[in-house]
Amino acid sequence: MKRLTCEMCGSTDLIKQDGVFVCQTCGCKYSIEEAKKMMVEGTVDVSGSTVKVDNERKIENLRTLADRAKAEGDTETAAKYFEELLKEDPNNWEANFYTIYYAAHNIKIAQIGSAANRVSNIIDTVFGLIKETLATQEEQNAAKEEVAGAVLNFASYLIPNATNHLGDSLESMHEALENWMVPIGLMCLHLGDSVIKYFEDYEMAEKIYGVVCNFKGMLSEVESGRQILNIANQRLEPMVEAREKKEREEKEAIAAAAKKRTEEYWACHTEERQQLETEKRDLLENRKYLNSQIEELRKKLDAIPSISMRDEKQKMMNELKGQLKSLGFFKGKEKKNLQSRIDELGHEMEQLTVSIENEKSSIHHKINEITDEIKKVDKRVGEIAIELTKER
């Protein structure tokens, strides 16, 4: 008899719980029948036939362990279990992708370029398996988005590591960009090409090529990087133009359909439309009249009689002040008379100023009242315009 040993992790610490044997190290579960098979040397004969070890449970357990490590962000353990899963299920797209993906996370700085290349090289295989093994479009789209998102996240993970180790000299910086940033750019460029090749997803490809173009500050420093940028732009520009054209045509089609429905509605409601249009014309005529009233009132503001009278008195006062200043020391009586007249003019000007302000206030009040009327007219005109043009 063999000692009961977990097939997943090799631990012998298994305890029977709730009718099954549970590995205390990795959590893998085995039925009683499976445990018996694990403990017996060789094959077990049942009803004259050889029992074949069913690996479905093993695959399921490996998937559980891999997904758990993936959820916990344990890249080393995830890589290990996805690699084991790949051995048992070679056509599993997740195992094919994440075996490479997580292994590529556990690298040294000098291996950034090779890590990007490894992930780039597995993309076609993974997308092909997604198309072959997943039955529904919904499942394929979800898997495609998961892979694309993971690759772009991987690029975001690699770039800071690359840019933080560019070196101090121009030569070392260019060498680092060639060895690290160029492979990252190529990986993303290849991702964009592949989502078109396998899924014809131009919307996602546009976003991915846009990400490559965002690397311009670094890629543009070396010739191979500039070539990548040129390719990305060549892919991106027609996509953007096509999308914008499509959006424009869709908006125009929606507007044309809405216009047609509106015209058809008013063709059946001609009397209502005539009433609204007549009301609108009358309102616009009234608005024109109200604006002319405001113009007249503004002219009155500049032509208040008291203003010219005050200006005339100001002129007289200035002349008297000039005369007063020119009189000699012994002209006291004349000075007194002039000063008295200047004071009278000042008092008269104060009265005129009060009168001017009162007149201005009255005119401004009238202008405000008319402005309020115009606002009411404009509001109603707007309501009619909405009623005449709104979608039906």
Side-chain angles (χ1 to χ4, degrees):
M1 297 290 286
K2 288 182 180 179
R3 190 176 185 184
L4 189 58
T5 304
C6 178
E7 293 180 344
M8 299 299 105
C9 65
S11 171
T12 58
D13 185 11
L14 282 82
I15 297 176
K16 188 176 181 182
Q17 295 175 344
D18 300 325
V20 295
F21 287 89
V22 182
C23 176
Q24 301 303 297
T25 301
C26 69
C28 187
K29 297 179 181 180
Y30 301 92
S31 69
I32 294 175
E33 187 63 29
E34 288 171 328
K36 288 179 180 178
K37 294 174 186 177
M38 292 163 61
M39 293 173 68
V40 177
E41 297 283 358
T43 60
V44 179
D45 185 73
V46 178
S47 303
S49 63
T50 300
V51 176
K52 295 180 180 180
V53 178
D54 185 358
N55 72 341
E56 289 184 4
R57 174 62 68 87
K58 184 176 182 180
I59 290 174
E60 187 61 34
N61 285 336
L62 283 170
R63 187 191 301 276
T64 299
L65 293 170
D67 287 342
R68 183 183 301 162
K70 174 184 170 186
E72 293 173 352
D74 186 348
T75 58
E76 187 173 352
T77 303
K80 170 189 171 184
Y81 284 123
F82 274 118
E83 185 175 3
E84 289 295 320
L85 179 59
L86 182 60
K87 293 175 183 177
E88 300 295 331
D89 188 6
N91 290 327
N92 184 291
W93 73 264
E94 290 178 282
N96 276 270
F97 177 68
Y98 284 113
T99 296
I100 299 298
Y101 178 77
Y102 282 124
H105 277 74
N106 301 307
I107 58 168
K108 297 179 180 179
I109 296 299
Q111 298 171 311
I112 288 176
S114 61
N117 289 335
R118 290 176 65 196
V119 172
S120 180
N121 291 337
I122 198 63
I123 290 173
D124 281 342
T125 297
V126 173
F127 281 166
L129 288 171
I130 288 172
K131 293 289 286 184
E132 291 172 11
T133 61
L134 299 183
T136 69
Q137 189 68 45
E138 184 179 358
E139 290 175 323
Q140 292 180 11
N141 287 338
K144 169 198 64 182
E145 291 174 6
E146 182 177 337
V147 171
V151 173
L152 293 178
N153 285 338
F154 185 56
S156 299
Y157 165 77
L158 292 178
I159 287 172
N161 290 287
T163 55
N164 289 336
H165 297 83
L166 294 178
D168 297 326
S169 68
L170 186 62
E171 182 180 357
S172 64
M173 182 186 74
H174 284 175
E175 182 180 359
L177 290 173
E178 286 281 3
N179 293 336
W180 301 339
M181 277 306 303
V182 167
I184 294 171
L186 286 171
M187 175 182 69
C188 295
L189 189 65
H190 180 56
L191 175 65
D193 292 346
S194 296
V195 297
I196 294 175
K197 176 181 177 182
Y198 289 92
F199 303 98
E200 297 184 353
D201 191 340
Y202 290 91
E203 183 178 353
M204 177 178 283
E206 180 184 338
K207 294 177 182 178
I208 295 169
Y209 294 139
V211 170
V212 178
C213 292
N214 287 337
F215 300 159
K216 180 178 180 180
M218 292 171 283
L219 290 176
S220 60
E221 294 293 326
V222 292
E223 178 58 30
S224 55
R226 289 190 287 272
Q227 292 175 3
I228 293 172
L229 288 171
N230 288 335
I231 293 171
N233 278 310
Q234 288 171 6
R235 305 270 205 281
L236 186 61
E237 288 174 3
M239 289 182 179
V240 173
E241 290 175 2
R243 174 176 53 78
E244 291 177 346
K245 180 182 178 182
K246 181 180 178 182
E247 291 173 353
R248 192 164 53 249
E249 290 174 347
E250 287 175 350
K251 289 180 180 178
E252 290 172 353
I254 291 171
K259 181 180 178 182
K260 182 179 179 181
R261 289 193 301 271
T262 301
E263 290 174 347
E264 290 173 349
Y265 173 85
W266 288 118
C268 300
H269 299 80
T270 54
E271 185 177 347
E272 179 185 355
R273 180 171 186 170
Q274 288 173 356
Q275 290 175 349
L276 289 170
E277 290 177 341
T278 299
E279 182 184 359
K280 181 180 177 180
R281 282 196 300 271
D282 293 343
L283 287 166
L284 291 175
E285 283 296 321
N286 186 37
R287 191 185 194 285
K288 185 177 179 181
Y289 169 71
L290 293 172
N291 280 327
S292 68
Q293 283 190 310
I294 289 178
E295 287 300 315
E296 290 298 321
L297 289 169
R298 285 175 178 163
K299 290 178 182 178
K300 288 184 178 181
L301 279 174
D302 298 327
I304 295 174
S306 298
I307 294 177
S308 59
M309 293 172 62
R310 186 181 62 180
D311 291 344
E312 185 63 31
K313 291 185 182 294
Q314 181 66 57
K315 182 179 178 182
M316 293 172 59
M317 179 185 285
N318 292 339
E319 291 175 355
L320 292 175
K321 286 181 178 180
Q323 293 176 21
L324 180 62
K325 187 176 181 180
S326 65
L327 290 176
F329 182 76
F330 299 104
K331 300 289 185 177
K333 184 176 181 180
E334 294 180 22
K335 287 182 178 181
K336 184 177 180 180
N337 290 335
L338 284 174
Q339 187 60 56
S340 176
R341 180 58 183 146
I342 288 171
D343 293 341
E344 289 177 4
L345 287 171
H347 179 67
E348 291 172 2
M349 288 174 63
E350 289 176 359
Q351 290 180 323
L352 286 171
T353 298
V354 172
S355 176
I356 290 168
E357 292 304 317
N358 288 336
E359 290 184 65
K360 282 185 176 181
S361 177
S362 176
I363 293 172
H364 281 304
H365 180 71
K366 292 177 181 178
I367 289 175
N368 290 337
E369 287 182 337
I370 296 172
T371 300
D372 289 340
E373 287 297 317
I374 290 175
K375 289 179 180 178
K376 292 177 182 178
V377 170
D378 288 343
K379 180 182 178 182
R380 180 54 186 158
V381 169
E383 291 171 350
I384 293 173
I386 291 173
E387 185 65 25
L388 289 171
T389 57
K390 71 181 183 181
E391 289 189 30
R392 303 289 177 174

